[in-house]
Amino acid sequence: MLKRDRAKKISPLGLGVRPKRMKKGMPQDIAEEAGELSPEFKRELNRRLADANDPVRYVVFSDIIGNGRWRLWLDVSGDGYGTSIDQATLFKREYVARAVAKAYSKGRKSDLLIAKITTKNDKKRVLKFEKPKHRTNVSTQRPKRHG
């Protein structure tokens, strides 16, 4: 076995040897072999790349007071809550965030909610807060009875 054969590396996509020269951001061997890939496989690769680069994520939070003034963000790895969105666990898929929220809500009076956020420019910004489905506003005054 030649010395240079041992130094060859497999490309990240597993499509062959990584070349020294790059062509428009894609290794030359991969670009040549890409012509051999089926159109369906190319579409799937493009879909997965676009999905990986999508900055939209979902976080689980608890609206403590009910008016949106005080939220606690779920940190799954620490098994607790944080007061900052930077402490929250990010979920790529909404259905995964909902499943985690449901699991953490068992036996509690109020359900956990989901917020859709963006992570553009390494900053977390909320795009949309989920509203509580049914929260009763308990008034301190009793309604007047007529009669």
Side-chain angles (χ1 to χ4, degrees):
M1 184 183 245
L2 296 175
K3 194 175 198 179
R4 67 175 188 193
D5 289 340
R6 282 185 266 154
K8 287 184 180 179
K9 303 214 189 264
I10 302 297
S11 73
L13 297 176
L15 297 175
V17 176
R18 187 183 309 156
K20 293 179 183 176
R21 191 176 133 217
M22 300 294 261
K23 182 179 180 182
K24 290 186 182 179
M26 189 186 319
Q28 186 176 359
D29 287 350
I30 294 174
E32 289 172 1
E33 290 183 25
E36 299 170 13
L37 299 176
S38 70
E40 182 179 320
F41 187 70
K42 287 181 188 178
R43 278 193 302 273
E44 178 65 18
L45 281 177
N46 288 334
R47 185 194 65 79
R48 287 185 183 193
L49 285 172
D51 186 46
N53 293 330
D54 185 13
V56 173
R57 300 288 188 270
Y58 298 91
V59 293
V60 179
F61 70 97
S62 177
D63 194 6
I64 299 296
I65 298 175
N67 60 4
R69 289 184 163 254
W70 192 28
R71 294 184 179 100
L72 291 178
W73 305 92
L74 181 64
D75 176 19
V76 175
S77 62
D79 197 28
Y81 293 88
T83 56
S84 168
I85 195 169
D86 295 327
Q87 297 168 322
T89 301
L90 303 178
F91 297 97
K92 181 68 180 161
R93 305 274 180 252
E94 183 179 6
Y95 72 89
V96 174
R98 291 202 181 280
V100 168
K102 184 177 179 182
Y104 270 84
S105 292
K106 288 205 185 223
R108 294 183 59 201
K109 188 175 182 179
S110 63
D111 290 335
L112 295 174
L113 304 169
I114 307 297
K116 183 178 182 179
I117 69 166
T118 183
T119 56
K120 264 187 176 176
N121 302 328
D122 295 328
K123 294 181 183 177
K124 296 173 185 163
R125 188 173 57 92
V126 176
L127 299 174
K128 183 179 179 183
F129 285 108
E130 183 179 61
K131 303 278 187 207
K133 290 182 180 144
H134 48 64
R135 186 180 294 267
T136 58
N137 290 334
V138 178
S139 176
T140 56
Q141 298 177 353
R142 293 188 178 184
K144 295 180 182 179
R145 293 186 181 200
H146 299 293

